[in-house]
Amino acid sequence: MVGQNSIDLLMAIGENMSAEEMMLLSLQGMIAAEVEMKRTELGMNQKQFAQYMGVTQATVSKWESGDSNFTLSALIHIAAKLDLPLQCPFVNTKREI
């Protein structure tokens, strides 16, 4: 459960951020949570997980903290290795018939 202080902090930070910056933070947070959840499900610490993924422990730490600007190649590697679905985040809502 998110406390009122956390909500206030997020709102204050959000006031000074562009929509693009907010979207980036949101996506990074979602990816970070999925990576950490899968690592935990696999019963691995970050070092073991890094070896499994073929990256350094520092890279895994950046993934899980949301401090990584993922390349498409990295996202595809993560999704394939962890058997996670990957889909395009773009949705065209103005399709013409």
Side-chain angles (χ1 to χ4, degrees), residues 32-46 48-49 52 64 81-85:
E34 282 296 323
V35 169
E36 186 172 8
M37 188 170 52
K38 274 303 241 189
R39 177 181 61 79
T40 303
E41 284 176 13
L42 292 170
M44 296 181 187
N45 62 34
Q46 281 189 347
Q48 294 166 326
F49 188 69
Y52 174 74
E64 291 186 2
K81 194 77 172 169
L82 299 180
D83 194 29
L84 292 170

Side-chain angles (χ1 to χ4, degrees), residues 4-92:
Q4 187 61 44
N5 289 339
S6 297
I7 293 170
D8 292 342
L9 176 62
L10 290 173
M11 290 181 72
I13 291 170
E15 288 178 5
N16 298 317
M17 297 180 81
S18 69
E20 290 85 5
E21 290 170 320
M22 290 293 289
M23 186 178 290
L24 175 63
L25 285 178
S26 176
L27 286 170
Q28 286 172 324
M30 287 187 284
I31 294 167
E34 282 296 323
V35 169
E36 186 172 8
M37 188 170 52
K38 274 303 241 189
R39 177 181 61 79
T40 303
E41 284 176 13
L42 292 170
M44 296 181 187
N45 62 34
Q46 281 189 347
K47 184 176 181 178
Q48 294 166 326
F49 188 69
Q51 290 172 337
Y52 174 74
M53 294 298 294
V55 298
T56 65
Q57 184 176 352
T59 297
V60 171
S61 178
K62 285 181 180 182
W63 288 351
E64 291 186 2
S65 69
D67 190 29
S68 181
N69 194 1
F70 296 93
T71 64
L72 291 175
S73 297
L75 290 174
I76 290 168
H77 173 72
I78 292 167
K81 194 77 172 169
L82 299 180
D83 194 29
L84 292 170
L86 185 63
Q87 59 192 33
C88 183
F90 297 119
V91 179
N92 185 352

